[in-house]
Amino acid sequence: MAASPMIVNQINKPRRTAALRVSAYALCSAIGRGRAASLEALRTRHSGLTRNNIGTTPVETWIGRVPGLEDTPLPATLAEWESRNNRLAWLGLEQDGFLDAVAQARQRYGASRVAVIFGTSTSSIDATEHGYRNLTPEGQFPESLRRTSIHTPHSTGQFVQHALGLEGVAVTISTACSSSAKAFAHAERLIRVGVADAAVVGGTDTLCGSVLYGFNGLELLSPEPCRPFDRDRRGINLGEAAGFALLEREAPAGHWLLGYGESSDAFHMSSPHPEGLGARLAVAEALERSAVGAAQVDYINLHGTASRMNDEIEARIVAGMFPSHTLAGSTKGWTGHALGAAGIIEALITLIALESGFAPGTLNSTVLDATCCGPQVRLENVDADLRLALSLSFGFGGSNAALLFARENARP
């Protein structure tokens, strides 16, 4: 017997999110290490994109690579975890006093009560690639790479938990570009039901041949710096990044995670639903969970990858759901598309925007696509009193997430 519409609506009705403090956060990407450097690059419109030089025959595209990563090995106490992806994760953890903030949370709650929720697309596949490129005459990995801990999808999540001295729940989420955005939602549920008292959410992905050649095979890479929402956009630029946030219910200070929305298009392995049904549902759910109206949202950090279809669908959703005064832009022209780390980096840039009163525009683009863009999508940076902001992450294959944040003193 089919359920009545009333029952179905009650089953599907989002539960009101338990608002959490973002008591600390740190990031590292192609535009800089830490919040101050990131804000400076955004304000001065200094892009981190450079011509691709990865691989014996580099793909003709631009990438957002973190400078100096090859020269910053892990500390000796963490040497067993050595890999490029874990180096980048550690570099992210070192920024903005984040290690001290987690140490204090560990002392307050106990190591077993702080969860680690980690998002990634490739984990440390770069180390596995290196192993296959340098097989011994017997067909084995070089001895330095015979460490199972760096060849699993949970590699970097385990590394982060170990490096932070935590012993609670540890989960790795891999839902393509929405991975580290969904980490926020998973953390809220764990804290709300009492499995954890706090959570470190994060994401890291480094550039490697598998990713570049794979996306090139799908004909998604742009041969020039990406131009999100531009009339003549030609595709995406890949990037790498690491970002982390500490979520707590009882913290005395910090911005707020008010709500989230998640959905899956279940439409195609690589293309979004042509009407953006799943993405629209995720945005609507984030607003409903937060008890916030669309007109109250001041700024939206758009997923905006500069691919033809994804940008068109996202722009139509924003134009149809939000008023003209809402400020929206994509920061992919600064950082590139950081895959599994894209969600966390864009969420943290959203927090930077809230605390600095500054809405980044859309770098590299010159003429917006008038067939889909409404007045919300801006090219230029805007200084504004931002109180509430959305961060959107629409992943490969239609895995969608929307996060709604409030400035520290602006919770509705």
Side-chain angles (χ1 to χ4, degrees):
M1 179 177 175
S4 72
M6 181 176 294
I7 294 174
V8 171
N9 287 339
Q10 289 301 315
I11 292 173
N12 293 332
K13 186 177 179 63
R15 180 190 294 268
R16 178 74 184 269
T17 301
L20 298 175
R21 289 279 197 182
V22 184
S23 56
Y25 66 96
L27 72 166
C28 176
S29 72
I31 60 172
R33 303 180 182 186
R35 305 206 303 255
S38 300
L39 176 59
E40 176 67 15
L42 291 166
R43 279 198 175 277
T44 59
R45 299 179 72 84
H46 177 73
S47 175
L49 299 177
T50 57
R51 288 188 180 277
N52 177 39
N53 61 356
I54 295 175
T56 53
T57 308
V59 176
E60 184 185 355
T61 187
W62 289 61
I63 57 175
R65 202 166 198 189
V66 174
L69 195 55
E70 281 66 34
D71 303 320
T72 52
L74 291 175
T77 54
L78 300 172
E80 64 181 291
W81 298 90
E82 181 63 54
S83 72
R84 195 169 191 276
N85 212 50
N86 291 344
R87 282 188 185 192
L88 182 53
W90 180 248
L91 196 58
L93 290 169
E94 286 186 305
Q95 308 307 315
D96 300 308
F98 192 76
L99 290 172
D100 288 340
V102 175
Q104 292 168 22
R106 187 179 65 229
Q107 185 174 8
R108 282 196 299 274
Y109 305 115
S112 65
R113 297 293 298 172
V114 182
V116 173
I117 315 298
F118 191 79
T120 184
S121 287
T122 65
S123 192
S124 36
I125 195 174
D126 62 305
T128 310
E129 274 188 14
H130 186 68
Y132 278 112
R133 285 197 302 266
N134 296 276
L135 294 174
T136 68
E138 297 76 28
Q140 295 182 317
F141 277 8
E143 187 172 352
S144 63
L145 291 173
R146 294 177 199 169
R147 292 170 284 133
T148 57
S149 61
I150 63 168
H151 299 293
T152 72
H154 192 45
S155 169
T156 308
Q158 286 181 309
F159 164 72
V160 169
Q161 185 185 41
H162 175 82
L164 295 176
L166 301 176
E167 301 170 359
V169 173
V171 177
T172 294
I173 297 174
S174 187
T175 55
C177 322
S178 64
S179 301
S180 52
K182 284 178 171 285
F184 284 84
H186 196 83
E188 187 275 337
R189 290 189 288 268
L190 289 178
I191 294 173
R192 172 161 39 89
V193 301
V195 173
D197 295 313
V200 173
V201 298
T204 307
D205 264 333
T206 49
L207 289 165
C208 58
S210 297
V211 171
L212 283 160
Y213 291 121
F215 275 83
N216 188 55
L218 292 169
E219 300 181 346
L220 292 174
L221 297 183
S222 172
E224 62 187 17
C226 67
R227 292 184 282 169
F229 303 103
D230 194 279
R231 178 186 60 194
D232 300 317
R233 60 193 182 277
R234 300 180 64 185
I236 72 176
N237 296 149
L238 296 176
E240 59 187 11
F244 298 93
L246 178 61
L247 303 182
E248 303 179 70
R249 182 183 295 169
E250 305 297 337
H255 303 305
W256 295 96
L257 171 65
L258 293 184
Y260 59 85
E262 299 178 277
S263 68
S264 176
D265 289 358
F267 173 75
H268 188 271
M269 287 181 67
S270 60
S271 298
H273 190 281
E275 297 175 12
L277 295 183
R280 191 183 303 272
L281 178 63
V283 174
E285 185 177 289
L287 295 173
E288 185 172 354
R289 283 181 181 275
S290 310
V292 164
Q296 295 174 265
V297 176
D298 301 305
Y299 166 66
I300 305 173
N301 187 295
L302 301 169
H303 190 58
T305 62
S307 63
R308 296 299 309 180
M309 184 60 71
N310 290 55
D311 279 15
E312 178 181 339
I313 291 170
E314 184 175 18
R316 291 187 187 281
I317 291 170
V318 171
M321 295 184 70
F322 294 90
S324 60
H325 63 75
T326 304
L327 302 171
S330 167
T331 50
K332 294 291 195 301
W334 276 275
T335 64
H337 185 2
L339 300 174
I344 184 76
I345 288 300
E346 287 149 21
L348 302 188
I349 288 176
T350 302
L351 294 178
I352 289 174
L354 284 172
E355 69 183 38
S356 61
F358 162 75
T362 306
L363 192 62
N364 301 330
S365 301
T366 55
V367 180
L368 290 173
D369 188 344
T371 65
C372 58
C373 290
Q376 300 85 357
V377 181
R378 311 298 176 100
L379 294 179
E380 300 302 320
N381 299 343
V382 178
D383 288 313
D385 179 25
L386 306 179
R387 298 171 60 84
L388 301 179
L390 267 173
S391 180
L392 305 183
S393 299
F394 301 142
F396 209 52
S399 177
N400 309 301
L403 303 172
L404 183 62
F405 296 100
R407 197 176 68 211
E408 181 172 11
N409 59 353
R411 180 183 175 187

